[in-house]
């Protein structure tokens, strides 16, 4: 008896990637349009996976270039531009045989994808570190120095300690480890991409918590950046303790 298309669809949806070639072989001669569409979807899924594997391999170029170093650490920060909240830095040492797919500049990923990847990174990384610098400290030493401070804190939390740093664009003062600054590094290095993701997810979660304390400012959605609703609330209610006074002095 001929299988119903609904049954074949269920088989396709339940199939893992390794099972798709057998699925294609079994059903590619079925002339029904519904089955042909499922076979094409299976082929597309395999093609997309192979493209992602190739993209991820390209992201490992710097890690391969410096493969003689034992512990390669990617560094990135999130939160230079917001009017409120801390700046957060992430530091990640990935295993040499890292098999995590879909890593990218955190800004290029959906919130859902970042959350998924955060869990995978925290599970598979050799070590991770996070650094936080408060709005008060940002006002005291300026955002660039605060960024460096957050990065140094993130590095200090790594165990094992890194013997080379791949940094997103900057050279961090006060660090004795060899550094390689890479322009737009979060889109060029798998380690920096991972660091950007854990920093972004961590800071976003903090801003959601602040939203519960200061609900008028919309921190859950704007994450402290200068969205219009945030600016309107700032003019109406004034600054909160987590606002960066040096950033808002011309706004209130």
């Amino acid at each position: 008896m001929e299988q119903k298309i609904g049954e074949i669809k269920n088989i396709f949806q339940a199939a893992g990637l390794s099972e798709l070639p057998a699925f294609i072989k079994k059903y590619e001669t079925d002339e029904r349009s519904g089955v042909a569409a499922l076979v094409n979807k299976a082929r597309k899924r395999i093609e997309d996976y192979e493209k992602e594997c190739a993209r991820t391999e390209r992201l490992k170029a710097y890690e391969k270039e410096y493969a003689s170093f034992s512990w390669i650490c990617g560094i990135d920060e999130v939160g230079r531009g917001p009017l409120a909240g801390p700046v957060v830095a992430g530091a990640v040492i990935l295993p040499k045989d890292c098999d995590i797919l879909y890593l990218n500049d955190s800004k290029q990923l959906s919130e859902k994808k970042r959350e998924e990847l955060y869990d995978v990174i925290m599970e598979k990384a050799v070590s991770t570190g996070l650094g936080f610098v408060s709005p008060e400290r940002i006002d005291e030493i300026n955002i660039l120095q605060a960024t460096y401070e957050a990065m140094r804190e993130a590095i200090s939390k790594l165990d094992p300690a890194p013997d080379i740093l791949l940094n997103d664009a900057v050279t961090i003062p006060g660090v004795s480890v060899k550094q390689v600054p890479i322009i737009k590094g979060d889109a060029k290095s798998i380690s920096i991409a991972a660091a950007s993701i854990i920093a972004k997810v961590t800071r976003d979660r903090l801003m959601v918590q602040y939203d519960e304390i200061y609900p008028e400012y919309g921190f859950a959605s704007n994450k402290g950046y200068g969205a219009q609703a945030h600016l309107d609330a700032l003019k109406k209610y004034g600054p909160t303790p987590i606002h960066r006074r040096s950033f808002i002095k011309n706004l209130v």
Side-chain angles (χ1 to χ4, degrees), residues 62-103:
Y62 286 97
E63 284 75 8
K64 289 175 182 175
E65 182 178 348
Y66 297 101
S68 59
F69 291 84
S70 297
W71 306 116
I72 300 169
C73 173
I75 306 279
D76 200 8
E77 53 69 35
V78 172
R80 280 202 199 192
L83 308 178
V87 63
V88 178
V92 176
I93 299 175
L94 293 172
K96 296 272 187 175
D97 59 348
C98 180
D99 61 354
I100 306 173
L101 298 179
Y102 306 105
L103 292 175

Side-chain angles (χ1 to χ4, degrees), residues 178-206:
K178 177 179 175 61
Q179 301 182 58
V180 181
I182 303 167
I183 302 298
K184 295 186 177 177
D186 47 9
K188 297 177 182 177
S189 157
I190 193 171
S191 302
I192 300 176
S196 87
I197 290 165
I198 69 164
K200 173 72 172 161
V201 170
T202 298
R203 189 180 187 281
D204 283 358
R205 289 176 179 177
L206 272 174

Side-chain angles (χ1 to χ4, degrees), residues 107-252:
K107 298 183 291 296
Q108 301 299 316
L109 301 167
S110 67
E111 182 179 359
K112 181 175 184 288
K113 196 65 182 175
R114 287 195 299 266
E115 290 281 351
E116 290 172 1
L117 285 167
Y118 175 91
D119 292 338
V120 176
I121 294 164
M122 299 307 278
E123 176 191 344
K124 293 192 172 185
V126 173
S127 184
T128 62
L130 290 160
F132 305 82
V133 173
S134 69
E136 294 87 356
R137 183 66 172 156
I138 292 169
D139 289 337
E140 183 183 339
I141 62 174
N142 79 45
I143 187 60
L144 180 59
Q145 296 305 318
T147 298
Y148 292 149
E149 197 165 279
M151 288 177 165
R152 287 192 291 267
E153 181 185 346
I155 295 163
S156 73
K157 292 178 178 176
L158 295 169
D159 184 17
D163 49 5
I164 186 169
L165 305 176
L166 305 181
N167 305 344
D168 187 34
V170 301
T171 299
I172 310 162
V175 173
S176 59
V177 181
K178 177 179 175 61
Q179 301 182 58
V180 181
I182 303 167
I183 302 298
K184 295 186 177 177
D186 47 9
K188 297 177 182 177
S189 157
I190 193 171
S191 302
I192 300 176
S196 87
I197 290 165
I198 69 164
K200 173 72 172 161
V201 170
T202 298
R203 189 180 187 281
D204 283 358
R205 289 176 179 177
L206 272 174
M207 295 311 294
V208 169
Q209 291 174 11
Y210 281 128
D211 184 73
E212 295 176 4
I213 303 169
Y214 310 109
E216 298 86 1
Y217 299 83
F219 291 144
S221 58
N222 62 51
K223 305 303 189 287
Y225 285 87
Q228 191 58 51
H230 181 187
L231 297 176
D232 291 345
L234 198 51
K235 288 173 183 174
K236 183 175 181 179
Y237 302 107
T240 69
I242 68 161
H243 275 97
R244 304 172 183 181
R245 304 292 166 145
S246 55
F247 280 47
I248 62 170
K249 56 188 176 186
N250 297 323
L251 299 174
V252 291

